[in-house]
C-alpha cells in the first residue's frame, strides 16, 4: 500500500509544481511579447532616430517617426503586446509627445523585471519596489526642472523645437515651431488664480493641403475652409461680409422613400417646374432680405445642398456660397465666426448673421479654398494650413506639428521645462542608484534595476546617433553621480547627438516639458506593474 500512496503523493506534488510554473511561464511570455513591441520602435527614438515606412493592406504608405502612429498601425496580436500599444496611446492623450520614450522605458523595465523574477523576487514585491522608485524619480526630475513664464516665448519655442527635432520634417522646425507656439498662445486661457493655462487643442484646426512645400505652412487667425465656392458667376472675394451658416438645403425637397411621379402632360410638368422655382426663389429672397452675402451650408446626407437653380439665383444676388461644411467642423466654424447655425428658413434673419472683415476664395494650381479673416466677435481659435509636396509629407508634417502643439500645451498646463537628451533619466538613475545603497531588502534590487532601466533613454539616443552607448552612458552616469555626491542639484548633462559627446543640454537649448517626461515615467511604470501582476490568460468562449 505504501508505495501506491507515495506514488499518489508524487502525482499530486507534480500537479502542484505544474500549477506553480504556469504563472511564471505566462509572465515570461507576456514580458517577451511586450519587449518585442518596444524593440520594434527603439530605433525611432531621438533626433537621429530612424523613420518607419508603414504599408497598409490597401497599399497606402505612411512615413513616420511618431511612436503612437507606428504602434497604432502595427498588427499586434499578443494581449500583453497590445498593452504597450495602449500605453503609447495613453501617453498620446495625456501629453501628446514622448510616445516612443514611454514604450522604450516600459520595455527596459520589463527587461529588468525579468532578471528580478529570475532572482526569485516575488512579482508583487517588484511591483511595489517600482512604485517607490517612480516616486523618487518623479521627485528628482521635478527638482531639476526650471519654471517658465508663459509670456516667455523663447522657452516655449525651445520646447516646440525639441519636439520637432526628432521628426522627418525637422529641417523645417524654424517655421513649424513658431507656428505651434503662436497657435497655442492664441487659444490658451489662463486659469484664474492658478498656475498655467488651459488649452483645448480642438480650437486649433490643422488643415492638410498638398501643394507648395512645408515652408509655406501658414497660421491663419480665422477660418480656412478646404472647399471651393459653389458659385459659377458669383463673387469670389467679399469685403465686410455678412455670413450665415445654414443647416437646411436650397434644393427641391425629396420624399423619405424612393418613389416615382409620372407626369403625363406638359401642363403638369410646367407646374412642377414652376413650383420648384417658386420654392427656391422664396428661400433666396429671404437670404437677400436678411442682407446675407456669404452663405455656408452644412453637408447633407439626404440630398444635394444646392440645386443648379439655387446657384443661379445666388449668383444673381451676388451671394457667395460654400457648401458641404462637415458636420464635425460646425462647432469650430461657429466658435471662430461667433455665430450659431441656422436650422430653418424662419430663423434666417439679419440678427443671426455675423460680420466678417474679409472672405476670399484663394485659387491655387492644386485647388481652391476659402479663407475668412476678421470675424467681429470671434472666439479663441486659429487655423493652420499645413502644406507639402506630397500627401505623405503633408501628413507627417501635420503629425509633427501635432506633437509640437502638444509639447507647448504641456508647458502651458504645467509651466516647467527639463533639459532633454536623456538628462532627466540619467539624473533620476543616479539618484536611485544612490538611494538603493541604503534601501533594505528587495527594494535595494528594485531601485537599482529601475535605475538601470531608465538609462535606456540616453543609451538608445547614443546608439541611434551612432555613438558607443556604453561609453556615453558611463560618461553621463559619472557626470550625474558627481552632482549627486557633491550634494548639488541634479545636473543637465545629456547626450549631445550633434557633437557626439556628453554636454550640458541647457547650453544646447534642448529643453522639453516636465509634464511629458513625468507622464512617460508614470504611465510606463503603471503598465509594467500591471503586466507583472498577470498570472494567467483566460480565453472566453466567444
Ligand atoms: P518621442 O516620441 O518619445 O517624443 P522622439 O523621437 O521625439 O520620441 O525623441 C525624444 C527624445 O529625444 C527625448 O528624450 C529628447 O530629450 C531627445 N532629444 C530631442 N532633441 C534632442 C537633441 N537635439 N539632442 C539630444 N536629444 C534630443
Ligand atoms: Mg517627440
Amino acid at each position: 500500500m505504501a508505495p501506491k500512496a507515495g506514488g499518489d503523493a508524487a502525482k499530486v506534488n507534480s500537479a502542484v509544481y505544474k500549477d506553480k510554473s504556469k504563472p511564471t511561464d505566462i509572465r515570461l511570455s507576456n514580458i517577451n511579447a511586450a519587449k518585442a513591441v518596444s524593440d520594434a520602435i527603439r530605433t525611432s527614438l531621438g533626433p537621429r532616430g530612424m523613420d518607419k515606412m508603414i504599408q497598409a493592406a490597401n497599399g497606402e504608405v505612411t512615413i513616420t517617426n511618431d511612436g503612437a502612429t507606428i504602434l497604432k498601425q502595427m498588427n499586434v496580436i499578443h494581449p500583453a503586446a497590445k498593452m504597450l500599444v495602449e500605453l503609447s496611446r495613453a501617453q498620446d492623450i495625456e501629453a501628446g509627445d514622448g510616445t516612443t520614450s514611454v514604450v522604450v522605458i516600459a520595455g527596459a523595465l520589463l527587461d529588468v523585471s525579468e532578471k528580478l523574477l529570475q532572482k526569485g523576487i516575488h512579482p508583487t514585491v517588484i511591483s511595489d519596489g517600482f512604485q517607490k522608485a517612480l516616486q523618487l524619480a518623479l521627485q528628482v526630475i521635478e527638482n531639476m526642472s526650471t519654471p517658465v513664464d508663459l509670456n516667455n516665448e523663447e522657452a516655449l519655442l525651445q520646447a516646440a523645437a525639441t519636439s520637432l527635432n526628432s521628426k522627418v520634417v525637422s529641417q523645417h522646425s524654424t517655421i513649424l515651431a513658431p507656428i505651434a507656439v503662436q497657435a497655442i498662445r492664441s487659444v490658451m486661457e489662463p486659469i484664474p488664480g492658478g498656475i498655467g493655462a488651459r488649452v483645448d487643442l480642438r480650437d486649433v484646426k490643422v488643415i492638410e493641403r498638398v501643394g507648395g512645400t512645408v515652408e509655406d505652412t501658414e497660421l491663419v487667425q480665422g477660418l480656412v475652409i478646404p472647399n471651393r465656392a459653389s458659385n459659377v458667376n458669383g463673387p469670389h472675394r467679399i469685403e465686410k461680409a455678412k455670413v450665415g451658416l445654414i443647416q437646411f438645403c436650397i434644393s427641391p425637397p425629396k420624399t423619405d422613400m424612393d418613389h416615382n411621379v409620372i407626369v403625363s402632360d406638359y401642363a403638369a410638368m410646367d407646374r412642377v417646374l414652376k413650383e420648384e422655382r417658386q420654392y427656391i426663389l422664396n428661400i433666396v429672397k429671404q437670404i437677400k432680405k436678411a442682407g446675407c452675402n456669404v452663405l455656408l451650408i452644412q453637408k447633407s446626407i439626404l440630398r444635394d445642398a444646392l440645386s443648379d437653380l439655387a446657384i443661379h439665383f445666388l449668383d444673381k444676388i451676388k451671394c457667395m456660397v460654400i457648401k458641404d461644411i462637415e458636420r464635425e467642423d460646425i462647432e469650430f466654424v461657429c466658435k471662430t465666426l461667433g455665430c450659431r447655425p441656422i436650422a430653418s428658413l424662419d430663423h434666417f434673419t439679419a440678427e443671426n448673421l455675423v460680420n466678417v472683415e474679409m472672405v476670399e476664395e484663394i485659387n491655387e494650381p492644386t485647388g481652391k479654398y476659402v479663407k475668412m479673416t476678421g470675424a467681429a466677435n470671434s472666439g479663441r481659435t486659429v487655423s493652420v494650413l499645413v502644406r507639402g509636396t506630397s500627401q505623405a509629407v503633408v501628413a507627417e508634417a501635420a503629425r509633427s506639428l501635432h506633437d509640437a502643439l502638444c509639447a507647448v500645451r504641456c508647458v502651458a498646463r504645467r509651466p516647467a521645462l527639463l533639459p532633454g537628451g536623456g538628462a532627466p533619466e540619467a539624473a533620476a538613475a543616479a539618484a536611485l542608484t544612490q538611494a538603493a545603497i541604503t534601501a533594505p531588502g528587495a527594494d535595494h534590487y528594485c531601485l537599482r534595476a529601475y535605475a538601470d532601466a531608465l538609462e535606456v533613454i540616453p543609451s538608445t539616443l547614443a546608439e541611434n546617433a551612432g555613438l558607443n552607448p556604453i561609453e556615453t552612458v558611463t560618461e553621463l552616469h559619472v557626470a550625474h553621480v558627481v552632482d549627486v555626491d557633491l550634494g548639488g542639484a541634479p545636473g543637465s548633462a545629456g547626450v549631445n547627438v550633434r557633437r557626439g559627446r556628453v554636454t550640458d543640454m541647457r547650453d544646447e537649448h534642448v529643453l522639453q516639458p516636465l509634464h511629458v517626461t513625468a507622464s512617460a515615467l508614470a504611465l510606463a511604470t503603471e503598465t509594467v506593474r500591471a503586466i507583472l501582476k498577470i498570472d494567467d490568460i483566460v480565453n472566453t468562449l466567444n
Side-chain angles (χ1 to χ4, degrees), residues 508-523:
E508 294 289 316
H509 303 302
V510 177
L511 293 171
Q512 63 194 30
L514 169 63
H515 186 63
V516 171
T517 311
S519 147
L521 288 181
L523 292 176

Side-chain angles (χ1 to χ4, degrees), residues 409-469:
R409 180 185 63 167
C410 283
V411 183
R413 237 164 95 177
R414 197 170 170 187
L417 285 177
L418 282 175
E425 290 84 1
L432 282 171
T433 318
Q434 195 79 358
I437 298 174
T438 50
D443 279 355
H444 171 79
Y445 291 105
C446 294
L447 294 188
R448 224 169 56 185
Y450 198 94
D452 282 348
L454 285 185
E455 283 182 343
V456 73
I457 296 287
S459 147
T460 310
L461 286 175
E463 196 177 326
N464 289 347
L467 309 176
N468 183 335

